[in-house]
Amino acid sequence: MRPSELALAPSPWIARWSHLVASGASVLDVACGTGRHMQWFAARGHPVVGVDRSEEALATASSFGRTQRADIEQGAWPFEGQVFGAVVVTNYLWRPLFPRLLAALAPGGVLLYETFAEGNETVGKPSRPDFLLAPGELLGLCAGLRVVAYEHGFLESPPRFVQRIAAVNEADAEGSAPLRHRLFPQGLPENLP
């Protein structure tokens, strides 16, 4: 894989759980950078929107879908009143934004979140507590959602401590596929109670 392709490769966590997103549902990529997750979801038929403050990064991301330049830490949230079938966040943490991320989830919408966790200060950057999730913090922030998967631990390549979650807003939405169909598209496994 060439370096440019590697830079746009999706996070394995996002790729692993992207099947939870309803077919054709819109996806918001927060702090999207050059749009690696926008590219992933657009290739799977999802309309995608990316937000970032870097004009340079958005120049690349805009080839995958709609982009919005905004400083979401200092300025207004540009998606007030809008909802998406999925909200994707990787390698980014701004705690005051979390209520807005949850409000942006449509009924049946999926939150896919992965970022650095406490312990990362022992192996590299980021190292400030402001940018590192405490143990179980994502679970607490997602208390109103159905958690499908959660991990907190060390990854070797590159060395980093991460916390990540895949969670669904189970509020009913007319026309959205039930969660069980997205979790088990071939039907329920026989060994489930």
Side-chain angles (χ1 to χ4, degrees), residues 3 44 77 86 106 109 141 159 161:
R44 281 143 189 81
W77 176 243
L141 291 168
F161 285 83

Side-chain angles (χ1 to χ4, degrees), residues 139-162:
L139 286 172
L141 291 168
C142 293
L145 304 177
R146 177 169 183 221
V147 174
V148 176
Y150 169 81
E151 291 182 354
H152 179 128
F154 179 74
L155 300 176
E156 291 187 7
S157 183
R160 66 203 186 281
F161 285 83
V162 299

Side-chain angles (χ1 to χ4, degrees), residues 40-102:
W40 173 260
F41 282 102
R44 281 143 189 81
H46 296 277
V48 293
V49 179
V51 61
D52 203 285
R53 66 180 178 189
S54 169
E55 200 168 318
E56 183 180 326
L58 290 176
T60 301
S62 66
S63 62
F64 309 119
R66 185 166 64 92
T67 58
Q68 173 74 47
R69 185 171 181 265
D71 183 344
I72 54 179
E73 294 176 16
Q74 302 299 318
W77 176 243
F79 306 105
E80 197 65 46
Q82 296 179 51
V83 294
F84 301 86
V87 174
V88 176
V89 186
T90 58
N91 301 331
Y92 179 75
L93 178 60
W94 181 249
R95 288 174 177 91
L97 187 62
F98 220 87
R100 296 216 185 271
L101 298 178
L102 296 178

Side-chain angles (χ1 to χ4, degrees), residues 176-187:
S176 69
L179 177 62
R180 70 179 175 278
H181 294 304
R182 286 186 272 151
L183 287 172
F184 306 105
Q186 269 60 51

Side-chain angles (χ1 to χ4, degrees), residues 11 26 48 57 62 82 86 96 100 104 107-108 120 123 136 163 165 172 177 182:
S11 153
S26 61
V48 293
S62 66
Q82 296 179 51
R100 296 216 185 271
N120 202 67
V123 295
Q163 197 170 129
I165 202 163
D172 280 338
R182 286 186 272 151

Side-chain angles (χ1 to χ4, degrees), residues 14 28-31 37 87-93 101 111-115:
I14 302 304
L28 173 62
D29 188 354
V30 177
H37 296 115
V87 174
V88 176
V89 186
T90 58
N91 301 331
Y92 179 75
L93 178 60
L101 298 178
L111 176 67
L112 299 174
Y113 204 117
E114 174 182 36
T115 197

